[in-house]
Structures are given as C-alpha cells and as structure tokens.
Amino acid sequence: MSGRSRGVLLVLCGAIFLEGIDVAMLNVALPSIRAELGLTTGELQWVMSAYVLGYGGFMLLGGRAADLFGRRRMFLLPLAVFLVFSGLGGLAGDGWTLVLARFVTGTCAAFLMPAGLSVITTGFPAGRQRTTALLVYSGTGGGGFSVGLVVGGLLTAADWRWVFFAPVVLAALILAAGLPLIPRTEETRGTEEIRTAGTPAAGTAAGQRPRLDLPGAVTVTAAILLFVLTVERATHAPPVQTLAALAASLVLLLAFVLIERRSPAPLVRPGIFRTRSLVRANLTGLLFTAGFFGFQFIAVLYLRELRGWSTVQTSFAMLAMGADVVLAPLLTPRLVRRFGTARVILGGLLLAAVAYAAFLPLGMDRAYAAMFPSLLLIGVAFALVHGPLTMTATDGVAEREQGLAAGLLYTSLQFGAALGLSAATTVATAVAGAATAPGDAGLLTAYRTALLVLLLTAVLAVLLSPRERRRRRRLRPVTPPKPALCGPAAPDGRGE
C-alpha cells in the first residue's frame, strides 16, 4: 500500500472515528445538558432523536449523491458543515438551538459516511488491500464509539460543552488532511461512468451533468424521516400519533416505489435488490445493530440505575466492548482470507448470541468479572461482523452504484440501532409497569425480558446471514483494478 493510499485511509478512518465518538460522547453528557439548560424530558429526547432523524432520513440520498456528484465533494463539504454546527451545539443557550445543531450534523453524517466508504470500494484495488482497508475502516468506527464513552465522561466532568467543541478540532484536522489527499478524479469520473452505463437509468445524456431524481429523493427521504420518527417516539407518544406517522410513512414509501419504476434516472435502481449478497447483508446488519445498541442501552441502565455506578465507572466498564478497534485490523483480515466473509460473519453473530445469553442472569450483587466476558464477546462479535458485512454489501455492485450500496447499508444499520433502542425501551417499560415485584426486582425482570428480545434478534441474524459465494475462489476480475489510490496491483490481481 502506497504512502498516499495510507494517508487517504487515515483521513477516512478519522471521519468514521469522528462520527462514532460524537454520538457516544453526547450519550454520556445528556444528564449534564438537561441540568444546565433546564430541558424537559421531551426536549432532551429530541436532542438524541434529531441526530437520528437527520442521519437515517438522508442516508440513502447521501449515498446516491456521492455517485452522481463526486465522492470527494460529498465527503469534504458535509465535513465542513459538520464542523460549523458541532461548534454551534457547544455554544447553544437553549434546547432547540441544540436540537437544530444535532439535526444538521446528523444530516452531514448521512452524506459523509457513504461517500467515505465508496472512496475505499472504488479506489483500493480488489483483494488484500481493499479487504484490509475496509476492515480497518469499520473497526475504527466501533473504536470511536467505545473511546467516546470514556472521553465523553471525562469531558462532561469538566464542562458538557467540550463534548461539542472536541469534534470541531478533530473535524478541522480531518478536513485539512483530506483537501490534498482525497483524489479529484472522482469529480469527473462519476459523470462519465453514468453516461456510458448504457441503460435508461443512467440519468444523463452525452455532455450533460448527472441529474438527481428529485421526486424520488423527496418521497423516500420523507418516508424514512417519518419512519425513524415513528420508531423513536413509539415509547412515549400517543398511539394515534404513532399509527398516523407509520401510515404516512408507508404511503410515501409506496409512492417512492411507483416513482422509481417510471423514472428514467431512478434514485434507487430496482434491479440492485437482485444482488442477494446486498439484501442479506442489509437485513443482517439491521438485526445485528438492533441487538448491539439495544444491549448497550440495557447494560448502561442496569449499571447506573440498579447498581448505582457513576458515569465514569460505567464508561470504563463498557470499554471492553471496544475490543474491535484492535481486532478488526489485526485478526479479522486473516480470518476473512482463510474462511471467507460469510463464515466470519456467522461466527460473529453466534458470539453475539452467546454474549446476550450469558448476560441474562442479572443480579444486584453480580461481580463485574462475571459481566466482562459478555462485554468482551460483543466487542469481538462487532469486529467479526461489521467489516465483513461492509464488504459483502458492496461486493458485486457496479462502481457507479457503490455510493448507493453504501447508503443502503448505512440506512439499514441506522434503522437497526433505532429499532433496537425502541424495542428495548418498549419491552423494559411495559414489563416494569406490569411487574408484580416492587422496585429493583421488577426492574431486573424488565431488563432480562428486554435482553431476551435482543437475543432473538441475534438468532434471526444468524438465520439470515450472507452465504459464501464459492465461485469467487476460482474467478479473477475480468478488468484489472484501477490504481486510483494505491498504485499498481500485484501480478496476481491483488494489492501489495
């Protein structure tokens, strides 16, 4: 791997680390934010929900925009806006300024993440280089979240506003490094590839700039926004509002499908869903992240509310889940080369199921040593699942649709996180309210029941996990990889 390619990978890893640490630090800082700004429970919920709405709602649009308008542009421009609005969040004097800042930063992440992933899948030659780059990239994201839990606790102890100012500094460094390193070839190549695709869906005539399917973009973004809102508000909104939002989301989704079938340049080409590996990867990712984030939520409530642990104690306790930051770049590439992505993903999903089951015997006097294996196994599972899923979701997809494939995957992951949190909250709240045992005993029952639901999602993910494509062991790429970032490929078609 050349020096420039390492620099590009460092920039991209910095961006996904920024996204992970930003979310984790805010989670830790919420009680302090509420105390200083005098927020109600509903307003505090919107501080979290606004980011999820922007991230999940615009992810699909962000992925397609990277294909149409250039991955460099769709990476650097949202990064600059992210920097500005993260600083605005730190200066906020009221709740709704903070909500606006979080919505915009979430929207920026929705454009930033698919663009970064597609830079890797189109710029690094297929083989060892791309595999290593993808696994390092995905491991860095999980590591950012784990580090953010600890750093967020330390910064909040000083002043919660540093939770917003710290990402400003990191984003500025990434932007300064990305300007000279992210290749400019993306800007012109996207139009040419779409123009020469030879299909009506290409969306451009000769010499014209690519066009965005605006009716499709508006309907699908509105549908996703409403659906995420439905999930986020399901536990504390009136049932009538929840059902109305869900119905409106489904109507808009149906309208989107009809628009895409008639559009000469669809936002989402329907044929992309014929790629079975992509569909299985998205379903598996949705279920895996549902369990992953739902478990973190339950574990934190257990340690904080029942055991009375401090924010810093809880953060350090959860740090074991950050094992992926070491394992993803070191162990996972070797396992993928030896066993293939499908088997590695399956192994990670099985480990997650074992971890959830092992955490079930909760108690008021359970030692941390008894909880540690579950936390560590979940970190290992993340290292084995997340990176290989990224590879599977983009494998077999044309270069001109790599951003779209990345957007689909990140949308599924975001939905999974929202669904897992909502399911865990709903089940725990319902069981706690109906529990006959008072106080701590009732909460323990509620948390155990929620963990059973998360265990079920892991079992479903195992059943739907991607299957190995055996023919890939015998076939070589017909077209030699483009040395866009990493220099010439080795004679066997792999990278250095």
Side-chain angles (χ1 to χ4, degrees), residues 335-354:
L335 294 177
V336 167
R337 287 194 292 270
R338 182 168 182 178
F339 300 107
T341 56
R343 292 177 182 174
V344 173
I345 291 170
L346 179 61
L349 295 173
L350 290 172
L351 285 180
V354 170

Side-chain angles (χ1 to χ4, degrees), residues 67-251:
D67 291 330
L68 293 176
F69 304 115
R71 291 158 191 136
R72 170 188 165 87
R73 182 182 293 119
M74 290 296 104
F75 180 86
L76 295 176
L77 184 59
L79 180 60
V81 179
F82 184 101
L83 183 157
V84 172
F85 277 84
S86 184
L88 177 64
L91 297 172
D94 58 82
W96 290 109
T97 301
L98 193 56
V99 168
L100 172 64
R102 294 306 293 168
F103 179 78
V104 175
T105 52
T107 302
C108 290
F111 285 83
L112 182 64
M113 293 300 107
L117 177 58
S118 59
V119 168
I120 294 178
T121 57
T122 59
F124 286 75
R128 179 172 296 185
Q129 284 193 24
R130 185 181 298 175
T131 297
T132 302
L134 286 171
L135 294 175
V136 170
Y137 178 75
S138 60
T140 304
F145 189 88
S146 301
V147 171
L149 292 174
V150 177
V151 174
L154 298 176
L155 291 177
T156 303
D159 190 333
W160 65 264
R161 295 182 185 275
W162 279 107
V163 167
F164 294 92
F165 293 144
V168 171
V169 177
L170 183 56
L173 293 174
I174 297 168
L175 186 62
L179 284 170
L181 286 174
I182 302 296
R184 295 182 179 274
T185 52
E186 304 284 351
E187 307 297 302
T188 57
R189 190 169 62 192
T191 302
E192 181 63 20
E193 286 172 349
I194 295 172
R195 185 169 55 83
T196 58
T199 66
T204 55
Q208 291 183 350
R209 293 182 63 82
R211 296 196 309 268
L212 183 65
D213 174 20
L214 287 178
V218 170
T219 52
V220 75
T221 301
I224 293 174
L225 283 170
L226 279 172
F227 187 78
V228 175
L229 179 63
T230 300
V231 172
E232 285 291 303
R233 305 287 291 173
T235 58
H236 48 272
V240 174
Q241 291 184 13
T242 300
L243 291 175
L246 179 61
S249 174
L250 294 176
V251 169

